[in-house]
């Protein structure tokens, strides 16, 4: 199995997002293989001490979410 596209969204305070609408928006504007299969809304991104987003932590969180959804 290969990698899959996932997205993490951090919303503005008070904002809401429907993940199916986000996927529909992406489907209209992106190539099919670039459309995220998993979209998660997060409170904050994991950051390094210098303030950069820790992409490996986002990846781990996405993988854990996919495993949780696949479990019976």
């Amino acid at each position: 199995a290969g990698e899959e596209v996932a997205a993490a969204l951090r919303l503005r305070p008070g904002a809401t997002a429907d993940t199916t609408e986000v996927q529909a928006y992406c489907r209209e504007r992106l190539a099919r293989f670039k459309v995220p299969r998993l979209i998660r809304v997060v409170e904050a991104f994991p950051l390094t001490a210098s303030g950069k987003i820790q992409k490996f932590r986002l990846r781990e969180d996405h993988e854990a979410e996919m495993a949780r959804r696949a479990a019976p």
Side-chain angles (χ1 to χ4, degrees), residues 28-45:
E28 292 174 5
R29 290 164 175 78
L30 298 173
R32 188 206 258 165
F33 68 92
K34 293 181 181 181
V35 176
R37 179 171 174 217
L38 174 64
I39 298 175
R40 294 177 38 242
V41 177
V42 297
E43 292 292 319
F45 294 121

Side-chain angles (χ1 to χ4, degrees), residues 2-71:
E3 292 185 356
E4 295 184 24
V5 179
L9 304 177
R10 187 183 68 156
L11 304 177
R12 291 185 173 133
T16 59
D18 179 15
T19 57
T20 56
E21 289 179 13
V22 173
Q23 280 184 322
Y25 180 88
C26 291
R27 265 190 230 104
E28 292 174 5
R29 290 164 175 78
L30 298 173
R32 188 206 258 165
F33 68 92
K34 293 181 181 181
V35 176
R37 179 171 174 217
L38 174 64
I39 298 175
R40 294 177 38 242
V41 177
V42 297
E43 292 292 319
F45 294 121
L47 302 175
T48 64
S50 63
K52 295 180 181 179
I53 296 175
Q54 294 179 329
K55 295 177 194 137
F56 73 94
R57 294 266 315 274
L58 284 176
R59 188 176 303 113
E60 289 170 355
D61 294 345
H62 284 305
E63 289 171 353
E65 178 70 17
M66 292 294 287
R68 186 186 67 76
R69 288 184 182 193

